[in-house]
Amino acid sequence: MKKIEAIIRLTKYEEVRKALEEQDITFFSYWDVRGVGTAIEGHLYRGNVYDTSIIERRLISIVVRDENVDKTVEAITRAARTGEIGDGRVFIANVEETYKIRTGESGPETLYVKK
């Protein structure tokens, strides 16, 4: 199992969500986050210059079975890409184990609802 975390533009969230849904990735968590980038610009508003080095983004966190990693990453990168600086990043980490609290089950089978 792998944990995939993606930092994307807020404006691309709905496109990424739909792209994941098309790949049957329907359960994930997300947070609104802020980061500091290297591209520092000043914007002038009513005579004041504002620093825009603090960037608002959305962090998506998904745990998937190994066989779903490639299609998940492809869906995120395809939907989030604008071609401009600041499109974001995708991180992948190993997940040792997972447990379903309600039933006590463990393993990759706990990642999906049984039908």
Side-chain angles (χ1 to χ4, degrees):
M1 294 173 292
K2 303 288 186 204
K3 180 177 186 178
I4 300 171
E5 291 189 327
I7 299 172
I8 62 169
R9 297 174 186 269
L10 289 173
T11 57
K12 299 300 272 181
Y13 172 74
E14 281 302 317
E15 291 176 53
V16 170
R17 186 188 61 76
K18 289 176 185 173
L20 288 170
E21 192 174 277
E22 289 171 4
Q23 297 299 322
D24 293 324
I25 307 296
T26 57
F27 184 81
F28 58 87
S29 300
Y30 70 89
W31 299 265
D32 288 334
V33 296
R34 292 182 183 177
V36 178
T38 56
I40 298 174
E41 297 179 11
H43 286 285
L44 186 63
Y45 178 73
R46 294 189 177 181
N48 294 318
V49 176
Y50 293 91
D51 179 9
T52 59
S53 62
I54 296 177
I55 304 164
E56 294 191 5
R57 294 287 184 255
R58 186 150 286 164
L59 172 66
I60 298 172
S61 180
I62 311 166
V63 177
V64 298
R65 295 178 182 179
D66 289 337
E67 60 266 20
N68 293 331
V69 171
D70 291 339
K71 74 177 187 176
T72 303
V73 171
E74 194 278 327
I76 293 168
T77 55
R78 179 178 32 84
R81 182 177 293 124
T82 68
E84 301 292 324
I85 292 174
D87 276 350
R89 298 275 191 279
V90 176
F91 305 98
I92 301 173
N94 290 322
V95 173
E96 302 260 338
E97 188 61 82
T98 180
Y99 295 89
K100 187 177 280 189
I101 295 172
R102 179 177 56 85
T103 63
E105 294 173 276
S106 65
E109 305 79 37
T110 65
L111 296 177
Y112 303 99
V113 176
K114 293 178 184 172
K115 295 181 180 180

